[in-house]
Amino acid sequence: MASPSVLQGPPVVHSKQRTASAATVEYDDDFEKANASLQVAWSTVMDQSAYYRISSFYKRVKCLLISWDKSCDDLHTDAEVSDLADVLENTFRYKVIRKLLNSKTEKLPHQQLMKFIADFSYYEDAPRTLLLVYYAGHGSPKSSDDGRHGLTLTGQRTLSEDVKEASEIVWESIERNLSQTKGDVLEIFDCCYAGDLGRDGQTWSRRSFEFLGACGSGNTTPAPGPKSFTRALIWALKSLAQQEKRFTVSGLSRKIREAPNFPQDQVPVQLDRGPGSIERIMLAPLPEPIVETESTSNEIEVTEPQGLLNLNFILDKPPTKDVITNFGENLNKFIIREKMPVNRIVWGGLTSWEGSQPSPGAHSQKLVAAKRFKDGLRRRSERKQREAEQAKIPRLQTPLSSVERATLSPSPANDLPQSPTKKRKLSGT
């Protein structure tokens, strides 16, 4: 079932299959592959029209690359992180900020990373922005008393117990700084046990928060070198930038596994970290910077949607990319001809109908969106009805004294006959 949505507002960046206990993205699933491919096709054709005020891609992509200082990095990640920064800056034209953690300074690594993430969110977050956070270093699983899994980060594998406790970073406690942003968030971790990252509850949202890890829960990943996850990531980014132009994180996950030296038995993990939203995160090189003109400098940022229209298409079989492209082109023509006040048309997702219930997450997000929109219309209608009823109520005035009434209604001339009734009204008796 495909469901494009007409949206007025900022980019909302995915419809996905969920269960109540997990948010793992099965990127090798046929429907996930088809959904990712069709979303890219839909996004591309929507952006061919200059009619819409909001592009389906990000206006800004900001990257925070986190690794360890050479004095406490026994993995020697610096060279690979530098190469990744070069690809993100020069091939994709993303803004890159590098930060080094150091366990041999006065401030604890946990405090350092908390400040790095908080500053990154504070200074770089904005509507129509993707915040990309990358980490390279050691990772180890951590279980809490309530049975939840987590991920701790360190710069060295062998540490004494007292030093280890002071040097460890519990990522979930840091990650909360990214839970409330205007833009979307993508985390990419090259560390062992990346799949042990804890999972939060799922609710409807207009933003995306995805995680791509080097390996699944309980697994390890090669150290920096030809077989490392980061080397495969760099190769995949370069390849997709040339071949696909735009691609989802699911497409990136699959491409990483095709890297020449990447271990065939290693499976990167993809998770939905935060509340479910409408679209999957897409990556693509940003266009060349343009000289700012009056029209571009005065661009209006729409912060809140004013209306949402959902259309679900029940299909006999999944559509092809050509069908989606032709449909998008003709829909663009119709919207332009009718001058519809549409800021953006969002890809609502392709889900399987036969043999299963519709995606709980995708279904609930649509119900919540529809309920909010209907509640807004109902409140507006009730307000107008109250105002109309109040307008019909006559205004209450303070009773006039007999002198005031006599002044406003002078007595008739003495030579004119006067009826007793009128006399009584005038005297107030």
Side-chain angles (χ1 to χ4, degrees):
M1 181 168 61
S3 55
S5 300
V6 178
L7 178 70
Q8 293 176 314
V12 289
V13 186
H14 37 268
S15 151
K16 60 202 73 161
Q17 297 288 346
R18 298 181 181 276
T19 65
S21 60
T24 302
V25 177
E26 302 294 342
Y27 53 83
D28 278 331
D29 178 76
D30 289 340
F31 263 91
E32 178 62 33
K33 290 179 181 178
N35 180 60
S37 175
L38 295 178
Q39 179 185 328
V40 171
W42 181 262
S43 166
T44 302
V45 71
M46 287 297 106
D47 285 348
Q48 289 176 356
S49 172
Y51 178 80
Y52 304 112
R53 293 175 60 196
I54 298 177
S55 167
S56 63
F57 194 66
Y58 302 105
K59 185 177 180 181
R60 317 165 193 86
V61 180
K62 309 297 182 67
C63 306
L64 176 63
L65 308 188
I66 303 163
S67 55
W68 293 86
D69 185 82
K70 292 180 180 180
S71 64
C72 49
D73 177 18
D74 60 12
L75 287 174
H76 309 293
T77 60
D78 181 69
E80 287 192 349
V81 178
S82 297
D83 290 345
L84 176 61
D86 180 69
V87 171
L88 294 174
E89 282 184 318
N90 298 318
T91 302
F92 284 79
R93 304 185 189 91
Y94 296 167
K95 178 180 177 180
V96 174
I97 301 170
R98 287 197 63 180
K99 293 293 183 180
L100 297 176
L101 299 166
N102 195 330
S103 59
K104 299 180 179 180
T105 61
E106 181 180 353
K107 297 298 183 181
L108 297 175
H110 184 94
Q111 296 170 323
Q112 298 170 36
L113 185 53
M114 182 172 290
K115 185 177 186 304
F116 294 160
I117 295 294
D119 287 347
F120 181 61
S121 175
Y122 182 83
Y123 291 107
E124 306 299 340
D125 182 35
R128 300 178 59 193
T129 299
L130 174 63
L131 302 177
L132 191 158
V133 178
Y134 165 89
Y135 168 76
H138 285 293
S140 58
K142 185 179 183 63
S143 299
S144 58
D145 295 336
D146 58 4
R148 294 185 179 182
H149 295 286
L151 183 66
T152 59
L153 314 176
T154 57
Q156 295 171 289
R157 184 185 299 276
T158 305
L159 295 170
S160 60
E161 285 301 318
D162 56 336
V163 175
K164 181 179 180 182
E165 184 176 355
S167 300
E168 279 187 342
I169 301 171
V170 180
W171 172 247
E172 281 82 356
S173 64
I174 303 289
E175 189 184 40
R176 296 192 184 102
N177 289 283
L178 297 170
S179 62
Q180 299 291 333
T181 58
K182 298 176 182 178
D184 297 330
V185 178
L186 172 60
E187 299 172 350
I188 301 179
F189 276 34
D190 185 359
C191 65
C192 296
Y193 306 101
D196 282 86
L197 197 63
R199 293 160 183 162
D200 298 327
Q202 310 298 327
T203 54
W204 185 83
S205 174
R206 294 196 317 275
R207 63 189 283 277
S208 289
F209 195 160
E210 298 185 27
F211 172 86
L212 175 59
C215 56
S217 176
N219 296 317
T220 60
T221 186
K227 296 182 178 181
S228 75
F229 173 80
T230 295
R231 282 296 169 202
L233 172 64
I234 292 171
W235 178 87
L237 288 171
K238 288 181 177 179
S239 300
L240 290 171
Q242 295 176 351
Q243 300 168 5
E244 303 293 339
K245 304 303 181 184
R246 290 185 183 186
F247 51 93
T248 63
V249 179
S250 298
L252 177 60
S253 302
R254 289 191 295 272
K255 196 67 176 178
I256 287 172
R257 298 188 66 184
E258 299 175 8
N261 297 308
F262 193 68
Q264 294 185 357
D265 59 349
Q266 183 170 340
V267 181
V269 64
Q270 186 178 339
L271 303 173
D272 292 318
R273 290 301 298 141
S277 59
I278 298 178
E279 294 177 284
R280 290 220 171 279
I281 290 175
M282 287 189 299
L283 298 173
L286 291 176
E288 293 279 0
I290 58 174
V291 179
E292 190 174 86
T293 63
E294 184 177 352
S295 60
T296 57
S297 62
N298 294 332
E299 181 181 350
I300 299 175
E301 292 279 7
V302 181
T303 56
E304 288 295 333
Q306 302 300 313
L308 180 67
L309 171 64
N310 280 327
L311 298 174
N312 292 334
F313 296 85
I314 300 175
L315 307 170
D316 292 331
K317 58 182 180 180
T320 64
K321 291 177 66 173
D322 288 340
V323 169
I324 290 298
T325 299
N326 291 334
F327 174 62
E329 290 174 348
N330 284 284
L331 182 60
N332 285 339
K333 294 176 183 177
F334 173 80
I335 289 175
I336 294 171
R337 185 178 70 245
E338 299 299 325
K339 298 181 179 179
M340 292 181 65
V342 178
N343 286 332
R344 186 183 170 208
I345 303 180
V346 176
W347 176 255
L350 180 71
T351 57
S352 176
W353 180 275
E354 183 179 0
S356 65
Q357 293 296 323
S359 165
H363 183 61
S364 63
Q365 54 186 257
K366 292 170 186 174
L367 290 179
V368 172
K371 184 177 184 302
R372 289 179 178 176
F373 186 50
K374 290 177 181 178
D375 288 346
L377 293 177
R378 176 179 53 77
R379 288 192 296 268
R380 191 179 308 169
S381 176
E382 291 174 351
R383 184 174 64 251
K384 289 183 178 180
Q385 186 176 356
R386 286 195 302 269
E387 293 173 351
E389 290 175 352
Q390 291 173 357
K392 295 178 182 179
I393 300 175
R395 295 183 179 179
L396 297 178
Q397 297 180 348
T398 304
L400 299 176
S401 65
S402 58
V403 176
E404 290 172 328
R405 286 197 294 270
T407 303
L408 295 174
S409 304
S411 300
N414 292 332
D415 57 344
L416 294 177
Q418 186 176 5
S419 69
T421 304
K422 290 184 177 180
K423 199 175 228 182
R424 280 197 299 274
K425 286 184 177 179
L426 182 62
S427 63
T429 58

